[in-house]
Amino acid sequence: MAAVQVSEAEKVYVMHGVRDDLRLDGRGCEDYRHMEIETDVVSNTDGSAKISLGHTDVLVGVKAEIGKPKAMVPDEGYLEFFVDCSANATPEFEGRGGEELGVELSNTLCKVFNNRHSMDLRSLCICPGENCWVILIFTSQEENLLQCDGNLFDAISIAIKAALFNTRIPKVHISEDEEGVKEIELSDDPYDCMRLNVKNVPCIVTLCKIGHRHVVDATLQEKACSVASLLISVTHRGTVTCVRKMGGGSLDPESIFEMTEAGKRVGKALHVPLMELLQKEESLGKKRQKVGFLG
Amino acid sequence: MAVEMRLPAVHKHISLAASQSNRDDKHLVVPGDVITSDTGFMRVGAEVQSIFSDGALSLHTRSLKYGKLGQGVLVFVSPSIVKRQKTHFHNLPCGASIILGNNGYVWLYPTPGQQDEEAGGYYTSMEPVSLSDREVISRLRNCLLALAAHKVLLYDTSVLYCYEASLPQQIKDILKPEIMEEIILETRQRLVEHEG
């Protein structure tokens, strides 16, 4: 990801600030920046959400399709992720760079979300062994200043949770005719649909190590001062579902433990206000103003 | 963009020169360092003396006032909102100093003590900056971004008024849209009264 150049003296300044819990913009080490979330922004999807966090804008669309379940788990549906890192976002996304990053992001998201602890995959089953719902999740990023902030995963995970909350999957009726051939009928009523239970869907928290301490939601300048970061996905109960280390620098075991604890704290605190906000937004219904993605 | 740096006036204190002889630093300024110049400042550069036909710039520094900068914060704004003034170095009464570059790069740093003024960047202090200075600088940084977002012309008075208008708020709240609007409104009102 594109990084801004920072001089040695600036790095020292940032490090001392982080040590004293006063970052460049006055935040504490565990504070997020101003976040805006909007759901139901794309009309031809089953669910969508848009989030802007700092300079990162993420749009997530969800479509549900009927497919064949995986052989190992015939009574479960599954999720698939498609991440689009457009060349508009940052020059490093051009050509192969964007593809590699996209693949890396998709794999990480799969690990985090596509397991039975995060989502009730059994509820996605239509006919065991034959049909199931496949949830396709499309993500795309827009960066305002052509630079990638250090909170990409955080923003994507929150947007995915919001989009899944917003998703409505039509109810199906399975009818069997005389020859035993099963037919799947989608309900015609647009309001006859099932919602997904997103209570256990985790949120990703990225912690960047700067000096001896760590920060959440790093800006570009802070990211330039950090050599390693830890990505933790945390559910609303504080359970850690996935941990990944990014960056070329090293982390000693004590740091990893401290960062994991901090990640759990921050992640747990994210869920309650997020769910409240999503429910409030939904209750506003048609009356709320839709800004849309390009607005 | 190729840059040629000329440093003709090398005023070095004898004591500093002696202390540096046993240090192994070959380069005073490396890419990425922030240094000041006459008409503004660039990431690595000094005053733009002339521009060659192939786009290369020739830079130079005139006195010890210019040179390598130490600890501080660099803020990027659009060059069009920085007011063209006689001086770009300001020591704000709130406790920090600011350099408004004409290229949109604004440098915030703690006001240096008397002896640092003559060093010319040959000595960079790595001592931790005090917490109160840090708070002032963070607040100024957020005010600059707020002013830039609302396209208010940046000069020492506007920055100062914005700083004073933001004092009742917490530093990290300044960038929230509603609070930003209130602060900018108050700043604009004060600026209009000041002019008129």
Side-chain angles (χ1 to χ4, degrees):
Chain A
M1 299 189 188
V4 76
Q5 270 191 321
V6 174
S7 69
E8 283 306 312
E10 279 178 85
K11 276 190 192 158
V12 168
Y13 184 84
V14 169
M15 255 175 39
H16 287 150
V18 168
R19 195 189 59 187
D20 295 334
D21 203 27
L22 182 72
R23 289 154 78 174
L24 290 185
D25 51 2
R27 283 185 288 158
C29 292
E30 297 185 358
D31 289 333
Y32 271 96
R33 274 171 289 180
H34 177 73
M35 207 188 300
E36 275 180 17
I37 308 176
E38 210 184 319
T39 57
D40 206 21
V41 286
V42 183
S43 50
N44 58 345
T45 56
D46 295 315
S48 59
K50 174 203 162 198
I51 182 177
S52 62
L53 180 62
H55 293 307
T56 313
D57 278 326
V58 177
L59 175 69
V60 170
V62 175
K63 277 203 88 79
E65 278 185 4
I66 299 184
K68 210 160 151 59
K70 303 239 158 96
M72 305 259 288
V73 275
D75 60 346
E76 284 180 3
Y78 57 97
L79 284 76
E80 270 187 21
F81 291 87
F82 302 91
V83 179
D84 168 41
C85 299
S86 75
N88 289 334
T90 162
E92 295 207 343
F93 284 175
E94 269 175 41
R96 303 250 2 142
E99 220 176 287
E100 283 171 21
L101 181 65
V103 167
E104 186 194 319
L105 279 168
S106 305
N107 288 341
T108 311
L109 292 173
C110 229
K111 238 172 103 181
V112 171
F113 291 101
N114 194 21
N115 57 65
R116 61 173 72 100
H117 301 288
S118 307
M119 280 220 59
D120 184 13
L121 297 173
R122 293 242 175 89
S123 66
L124 298 175
C125 175
I126 303 173
C127 211
E130 289 178 24
N131 304 102
C132 68
W133 283 112
V134 180
I135 310 281
L136 306 165
I137 304 183
F138 301 92
T139 317
S140 90
Q141 292 90 260
E142 284 289 322
E143 317 286 336
N144 281 341
L145 293 179
L146 293 186
Q147 285 159 340
C148 223
D149 258 353
N151 59 3
L152 189 58
F153 280 99
D154 304 34
I156 291 180
S157 73
I158 296 176
I160 290 178
K161 183 159 180 163
L164 287 172
F165 177 80
N166 180 241
T167 303
R168 279 147 178 73
I169 303 180
K171 288 215 174 111
V172 288
H173 306 286
I174 305 172
S175 56
E176 206 170 311
D177 62 9
E178 311 87 42
E179 285 148 35
V181 175
K182 292 206 180 120
E183 220 176 81
I184 301 178
E185 266 173 40
L186 256 70
S187 161
D188 280 336
D189 183 0
Y191 293 104
D192 182 22
C193 46
M194 79 169 176
R195 303 284 299 271
L196 294 168
N197 180 7
V198 295
K199 215 166 78 146
N200 289 325
V201 172
C203 278
I204 298 179
V205 177
T206 309
L207 294 130
C208 290
K209 179 148 192 256
I210 299 180
H212 292 292
R213 295 197 56 175
H214 47 265
V215 295
V216 166
D217 191 15
T219 61
L220 271 171
Q221 280 146 335
E222 286 168 339
K223 209 163 161 226
C225 302
S226 131
V227 287
S229 46
L230 207 63
L231 202 131
I232 303 175
S233 71
V234 187
T235 64
H236 71 109
R237 276 199 215 101
T239 322
V240 174
T241 63
C242 169
V243 175
R244 245 195 110 172
K245 181 199 166 286
M246 326 267 275
S250 59
L251 291 172
D252 59 279
E254 234 180 71
S255 293
I256 296 182
F257 179 71
E258 268 175 34
M259 285 161 90
T260 315
E261 291 300 304
K264 272 158 72 171
R265 215 173 24 237
V266 173
K268 207 169 157 186
L270 259 183
H271 287 274
V272 172
L274 177 63
M275 289 309 291
E276 276 175 15
L277 185 70
L278 290 173
Q279 270 151 4
K280 199 172 97 174
E281 210 210 353
E282 186 167 325
S283 66
L284 286 176
K286 298 273 182 251
K287 285 182 266 165
R288 66 189 162 99
Q289 266 185 330
K290 285 192 191 178
V291 177
F293 192 60
L294 298 169
Chain B
M1 185 167 68
V3 159
E4 182 195 320
M5 268 188 60
R6 291 181 195 159
L7 300 167
V10 181
H11 304 287
K12 220 169 172 177
H13 282 237
I14 315 236
S15 55
L16 276 175
S19 70
Q20 276 185 353
S21 57
N22 42 4
R23 271 200 287 157
D24 183 34
D25 38 13
K26 283 198 290 194
H27 302 286
L28 175 63
V29 178
V30 297
D33 278 338
V34 198
I35 89 174
T36 65
S37 73
D38 227 357
T39 53
F41 69 100
M42 298 169 74
R43 198 89 215 188
V44 179
E47 172 186 326
V48 179
Q49 188 183 36
S50 57
I51 303 180
F52 299 109
S53 55
D54 60 357
L57 296 176
S58 174
L59 305 170
H60 71 128
T61 59
R62 283 230 189 96
S63 70
L64 278 176
K65 184 170 85 167
Y66 309 104
K68 186 164 147 183
L69 294 171
Q71 293 191 50
V73 179
L74 188 62
V75 183
F76 304 91
V77 298
S78 160
S80 51
I81 63 169
V82 177
K83 191 170 183 183
R84 298 291 184 265
Q85 285 190 295
K86 270 198 186 160
T87 59
H88 306 90
F89 295 70
H90 306 284
N91 284 346
L92 298 173
C94 48
S97 302
I98 187 172
I99 305 178
L100 289 159
N102 287 329
N103 57 353
Y105 287 25
V106 182
W107 179 252
L108 296 164
Y109 60 112
T111 310
Q114 201 45 40
Q115 74 280 14
D116 288 349
E117 300 260 7
E118 286 122 48
Y122 285 103
Y123 168 68
T124 316
S125 160
M126 294 295 178
E127 291 295 316
V129 173
S130 74
L131 196 62
S132 51
D133 281 344
R134 255 179 221 288
E135 283 180 2
V136 172
I137 290 178
S138 291
R139 194 175 277 279
L140 278 171
R141 175 202 180 269
N142 286 351
C143 287
L144 282 170
L145 290 174
L147 289 166
H150 287 259
K151 314 273 189 282
V152 177
L153 208 57
L154 285 182
Y155 55 111
D156 51 347
T157 315
S158 68
V159 173
L160 193 61
Y161 284 173
C162 191
Y163 177 84
E164 285 167 4
S166 77
L167 281 174
Q169 316 285 350
Q170 274 206 331
I171 305 175
K172 57 187 171 179
D173 289 336
I174 299 175
L175 293 175
K176 296 207 172 119
E178 321 84 50
I179 298 184
M180 208 194 307
E181 277 190 31
E182 273 177 39
I183 296 176
I184 296 296
L185 195 64
E186 205 185 306
T187 310
R188 279 204 170 116
Q189 277 172 351
R190 268 187 84 180
L191 282 170
V192 164
E193 284 167 18
H194 176 81
E195 316 282 298

